Amino acid sequence: MHDARGQVVEAAGRAVPVAERVWSDTVYVPPRTTVRVVLRFGRHADPATPFMYHCHLLYHEDQGMMGQFVLVPPGTPPSSVPRALAAGAHGSHGAHGGHGAHGG
């Protein structure tokens, strides 16, 4: 998760003990396993600047295991959230920097 930190709170249907939770922007997910993650975002989330998530296995990423989302205030009607960004609005949630040669 770019520009957010999270803690795995459940893995394979079992709660992760609080003492084992670590704030991180990367989570290992074993094959055929589901995890639940609580995320913390910065104070300046902008609905026009999407956050990005992706798998670090490039083959998986190329097959669609990546995406973007925006944060909006609670109660925001989905119809009012832009589905495309304005030209030049690529955002600055870290500009894909921070952990890895491929920028993310």
Side-chain angles (χ1 to χ4, degrees), residues 3 44-52 69-71 85 89-94:
D3 303 307
H44 305 290
D46 177 356
T49 306
F51 287 89
M52 184 176 104
F69 64 94
V70 295
L71 297 179
L85 297 176
H90 295 292
S92 62
H93 289 304

Side-chain angles (χ1 to χ4, degrees), residues 1 4-11 16 22-30 33-39 54-56 99:
M1 178 68 58
R5 299 289 182 256
Q7 289 185 346
V8 176
V9 296
E10 184 178 289
V16 174
V22 177
W23 289 104
S24 178
D25 66 347
T26 305
V27 174
Y28 173 71
V29 182
T33 301
T34 300
V35 297
R36 290 184 60 196
V37 180
V38 171
L39 295 170
H54 63 91
C55 182
H56 277 201
H99 69 267

Side-chain angles (χ1 to χ4, degrees), residues 63-90:
Q63 298 301 309
M65 291 181 76
M66 66 181 302
Q68 294 182 331
F69 64 94
V70 295
L71 297 179
V72 297
T76 300
S79 61
S80 70
V81 179
R83 298 292 183 228
L85 297 176
H90 295 292

